[in-house]
Amino acid sequence: MSEATANLPQPPSPLREFWSYFRENRGAVIGMYVFMVFFIVALIAPLIAPYTPHEQFRDHLLQPPFWQEGGSTEFLLGTDPLGRDMLSRLLHGARFSFFIGVIVVSIASFFGVIIGVISGFAPKWMDTLIMRLMDIILSFPSLLLALVLVAILGPSLINAMIAIALVLQPHFVRLTRAAVISERTKDYVTAAKVAGAGRLRTMFVTVLPNCLAPIIVQAALSFSTAILDAAALGFLGMGAQPPTPEWGTMLAEAREFILRAWWVVTLPGICILVSVLAINLMGDGLRDALDPKLKRS
Amino acid sequence: MSAPILSATDLRRHFEVKSGLFGGTNTVRALDGASFELVPGRTLAVVGESGCGKSTLANLVTMIDTPTSGTFTIDGQDIQPGDELKDKVLRAKVQIVFQNPYGSLNPRQTIGKILMEPLLLNRPEISAEERERRAREMVELVGLRPEHFNRYPHMFSGGQRQRIAVARALMLEPEILVLDEPVSALDLSIQSQVLNLLTDLQDKFNLAYLFISHDLSVVRHFADDVIVMYLGKPVEQGAKDEVFENPRHPYTKALLSATPMADPARRQERIKLEGELPSPLNVPVGCAFNPRCWKATEECRNKRPDMSDGSHRFACFHPENGDN
């Protein structure tokens, strides 16, 4: 049996099919490459950074990047007001941003998806209760709510991440619920029930995998929102605390030198911009590739 | 004729519908008193216009939905109204094939997984190899090729998908198969293939079919017994030949006259029904068919006719072909 089937042409795997759609969107592919570089940098930052992010060189305060007058190749992207190497700090900052993105998206999507599936299957009163609660959270400006939460919990990177996850999570709930409601009336769900699938199995094994496409897109786009919000909280002094080399915190620390030393503000800003842009481009490409309406098979 | 595997007595399913914010509740009598028997090796067809309760009947027999009143017994075991079907043995006896083969297969599962799932859930004692062996056997039995085992539903045509749906229904070795318009979504040429497959399987496993359809030519070809339904109530039921050759209820006659015949020599008079199908929220008093019936009298407008006795039963005060 296995020999007979082994020689037959195998159908394209879902992954390969996805890739062929994704590849058509050039922006998304570029975004993905940038994201991959970002990921690798975050992974090996301690190995490629010339110095540790906290080491201070008192003789080189606010030294410009190497191509400017007064700069040296010793500090490629210059130093900050305390004489710390910008390049090392930026590389390590990628770690924090990636860490924030992963943790926040994991928390928000995990709870958001579970609550969303429950809401989609729940009796009407419970569904209404959950959705109104989510509406309340959504009615606050997200950054403001995150600020309030951090103010209550106390400023730290972990608390900022919890706050951002809480703020992002209603989007997942809504999205999952909408997808679940449209899927669960389909015949294959009834068929699974007739075959003997229990409630939990129907919810998470039968229905949930068919709702994943919009959730994956939302997760990718939330990743950039999380980085942006964490940077904003850091900038306002409510996120990562100095001397953590978090990009938003770095911006805040260097604010007063903006006219004298452009690099201390511009470089972290560019890092935030590029990573967020790349992730958004990739997210858009994901959406196009995963949207069943755009599929041609 | 062997003993019936399923017998239903006076099955009813009513739905409460809220009308507006301050309005009271209305009752939709989706199914209002159906009695029938399913016999192994035979096919009972349920025909009627859309909205006459055919699919509600299918849901009740499959135990997806529970009847409001009335009882049915499967293999001697009573199923009470309100019983949640927990019994795996009982559930495995009744399986269903849905109308739309594009919606009834989980797009994320391979054919193999789809076929093995019922066994996994209901017969956990069967080993994984044995499960796979049975699923592969079933793939061949319904006329698919072995290499289809690892493919996804979207790679198949409608007819092939319906074969997969039939295969899935048969995995638990049921005794009753509910076919909810299994071929109405398919091309004509594919319809006959699937029907032939169903006939073969019925002979092989001695299955009892509950065949729901609105296509009378398919029913004529496929069924042994027929129930004609109108607005949730059976109006005529009996052996296929008798019902088709000698329809007694005016509605059956009108329905039959609407079937196209591939015989130009045979002129038949087409009975045109007046008016619309009444809303099931507002079923006419007396015989439900009276506003559209050309034979309706005062009696029909006031009293609801009962089912007659015998093997060929009908609910009419003024049956066709002689009053008796």
Side-chain angles (χ1 to χ4, degrees):
Chain A
M1 171 67 71
S2 58
E3 266 194 74
T5 47
N7 299 330
L8 291 160
Q10 286 293 309
S13 73
L15 205 67
R16 182 172 300 178
E17 197 191 340
F18 160 75
W19 176 243
S20 75
Y21 286 111
F22 187 77
R23 205 174 43 189
E24 284 171 19
N25 187 338
R26 191 180 296 172
V29 175
I30 294 172
M32 195 196 62
Y33 285 133
V34 174
F35 182 74
M36 273 158 65
V37 169
F38 175 50
F39 174 66
I40 291 166
V41 164
L43 212 61
I44 59 168
L47 300 175
I48 53 173
Y51 310 99
T52 69
H54 305 303
E55 197 176 352
Q56 297 183 6
F57 300 93
R58 290 297 167 93
D59 308 334
H60 304 275
L61 300 184
L62 278 180
Q63 186 173 315
F66 72 93
W67 63 85
Q68 258 193 323
E69 213 178 310
S72 73
T73 49
E74 203 181 341
F75 303 104
L76 283 177
L77 293 179
T79 58
D80 72 356
L82 296 176
R84 293 174 296 195
D85 179 40
M86 283 300 287
L87 181 62
S88 308
R89 284 180 70 75
L90 288 174
L91 291 176
H92 280 270
R95 276 194 136 181
F96 282 97
S97 288
F98 203 87
F99 176 65
I100 291 164
V102 169
I103 300 289
V104 166
V105 168
S106 309
I107 296 175
S109 60
F110 181 75
F111 289 105
V113 165
I114 288 182
I115 296 174
V117 173
I118 290 171
S119 179
F121 274 91
K124 197 162 180 258
W125 64 268
M126 196 173 162
D127 179 37
T128 314
L129 192 77
I130 293 174
M131 290 323 289
R132 289 302 83 78
L133 203 69
M134 294 305 140
D135 285 348
I136 291 170
I137 299 179
L138 280 175
S139 67
F140 289 100
S142 61
L143 199 61
L144 204 65
L145 184 60
L147 259 176
V148 171
L149 286 169
V150 172
I152 295 168
L153 298 168
S156 80
L157 187 60
I158 298 292
N159 287 346
M161 291 194 313
I162 293 171
I164 296 165
L166 207 71
V167 168
L168 290 180
Q169 174 251 12
H171 296 281
F172 286 95
V173 176
R174 281 187 149 191
L175 212 59
T176 312
R177 174 179 170 270
V180 164
I181 285 178
S182 75
E183 284 296 317
R184 70 164 202 184
T185 51
K186 291 195 177 159
D187 277 345
Y188 72 86
V189 183
T190 316
K193 281 186 199 150
V194 175
R199 183 175 291 235
L200 278 179
R201 190 183 167 91
T202 317
M203 281 160 82
F204 292 102
V205 181
T206 312
V207 172
L208 185 57
N210 288 295
C211 304
L212 277 183
I215 298 170
I216 290 172
V217 175
Q218 179 66 28
L221 295 174
S222 295
F223 201 97
S224 65
T225 316
I227 292 175
L228 210 55
D229 280 1
L233 285 178
F235 183 76
L236 295 170
M238 292 297 203
Q241 298 298 308
T244 314
E246 201 271 326
W247 292 337
T249 313
M250 285 167 70
L251 272 178
E253 276 179 73
R255 206 170 49 226
E256 48 198 289
F257 303 99
I258 187 162
L259 293 177
R260 247 187 335 130
W262 60 268
W263 58 95
V264 285
V265 188
T266 314
L267 293 176
I270 287 175
C271 286
I272 296 172
L273 175 81
V274 169
S275 57
V276 168
L277 187 67
I279 295 166
N280 279 346
L281 282 173
M282 191 179 71
D284 283 346
L286 271 180
R287 181 178 53 212
D288 293 350
L290 290 175
D291 191 343
K293 284 187 209 102
L294 298 173
K295 280 200 176 166
R296 282 157 300 177
S297 62
Chain B
M1 208 154 123
S2 49
I5 173 88
L6 179 144
S7 54
T9 339
D10 205 24
L11 277 187
R12 287 162 200 270
R13 180 72 176 101
H14 298 172
F15 295 99
E16 301 272 299
V17 182
K18 280 211 179 83
S19 49
L21 188 58
F22 301 107
T25 52
N26 274 324
T27 310
V28 178
R29 295 162 189 270
L31 184 68
D32 206 17
S35 307
F36 56 89
E37 286 178 341
L38 294 178
V39 180
R42 285 176 76 85
T43 303
L44 173 66
V46 181
V47 296
E49 285 168 88
S50 36
C52 73
K54 297 177 306 234
S55 292
T56 308
L57 184 63
N59 286 353
L60 290 185
V61 171
T62 334
M63 290 166 278
I64 297 167
D65 202 358
T66 53
T68 314
S69 72
T71 50
F72 64 107
T73 58
I74 296 176
D75 220 2
Q77 258 187 292
D78 268 325
I79 315 252
Q80 296 299 327
D83 265 6
E84 281 265 334
L85 192 79
K86 293 269 154 60
D87 192 347
K88 289 182 175 177
V89 183
L90 213 53
R91 180 171 49 218
K93 287 186 198 285
V94 189
Q95 289 291 313
I96 185 166
V97 176
F98 293 97
Q99 173 176 14
N100 179 5
Y102 294 90
S104 65
L105 303 174
N106 189 340
R108 296 270 159 175
Q109 285 182 320
T110 61
I111 305 314
K113 281 225 182 85
I114 289 174
L115 294 187
M116 289 188 287
E117 191 177 32
L119 283 182
L120 181 76
L121 293 170
N122 288 286
R123 308 237 204 291
E125 70 278 3
I126 292 176
S127 69
E129 297 87 60
E130 171 68 7
R131 240 191 341 256
E132 182 168 342
R133 191 188 64 74
R134 287 198 195 183
R136 285 188 184 279
E137 237 172 48
M138 192 58 76
V139 165
E140 280 187 62
L141 194 66
V142 297
L144 295 170
R145 290 201 301 277
E147 68 263 26
H148 290 154
F149 193 76
N150 287 320
R151 295 197 184 166
Y152 286 88
H154 73 261
M155 301 167 177
F156 292 93
S157 67
Q160 286 173 315
R161 284 172 189 234
Q162 207 58 306
R163 283 171 192 269
I164 297 161
V166 171
R168 173 180 59 193
L170 290 178
M171 282 308 288
L172 289 174
E173 295 160 344
E175 290 171 61
I176 300 164
L177 205 55
V178 176
L179 305 162
D180 190 354
E181 312 214 15
V183 294
S184 51
L186 305 176
D187 278 353
L188 217 54
S189 57
I190 311 296
Q191 281 194 3
S192 63
Q193 287 177 15
V194 172
L195 287 174
N196 288 341
L197 170 73
L198 287 170
T199 315
D200 292 346
L201 292 172
Q202 184 171 40
D203 292 344
K204 192 160 179 174
F205 297 109
N206 201 24
L207 293 163
Y209 282 168
L210 179 65
F211 184 80
I212 289 169
S213 178
H214 58 244
D215 187 342
L216 285 173
S217 21
V218 170
V219 170
R220 195 190 291 267
H221 166 76
F222 194 69
D224 297 305
D225 303 291
V226 179
I227 300 182
V228 182
M229 304 239 312
Y230 186 76
L231 279 177
K233 296 185 187 73
V235 293
E236 181 159 2
Q237 71 188 86
K240 173 199 54 173
D241 293 333
E242 282 188 50
V243 174
F244 275 78
E245 296 308 320
N246 185 18
R248 306 302 299 271
H249 198 284
Y251 179 64
T252 315
K253 188 160 183 173
L255 213 56
L256 288 176
S257 80
T259 349
M261 292 276 186
D263 183 3
R266 193 172 147 185
R267 280 235 156 254
Q268 60 164 357
E269 131 196 47
R270 172 92 155 76
I271 302 169
K272 277 209 179 108
L273 285 181
E274 301 283 322
E276 288 279 309
L277 185 73
S279 156
L281 273 169
N282 186 17
V283 179
V285 186
C287 173
F289 189 53
N290 82 64
R292 301 168 80 185
C293 186
W294 61 98
K295 290 182 137 192
T297 59
E298 207 47 48
E299 192 183 18
C300 304
R301 283 187 263 275
N302 293 319
K303 262 171 67 186
R304 186 177 159 188
D306 289 323
M307 266 300 194
S308 64
D309 293 325
S311 63
H312 181 184
R313 298 184 286 170
F314 48 91
C316 187
F317 293 123
H318 311 289
E320 295 286 323
N321 305 338
D323 290 43
N324 58 332

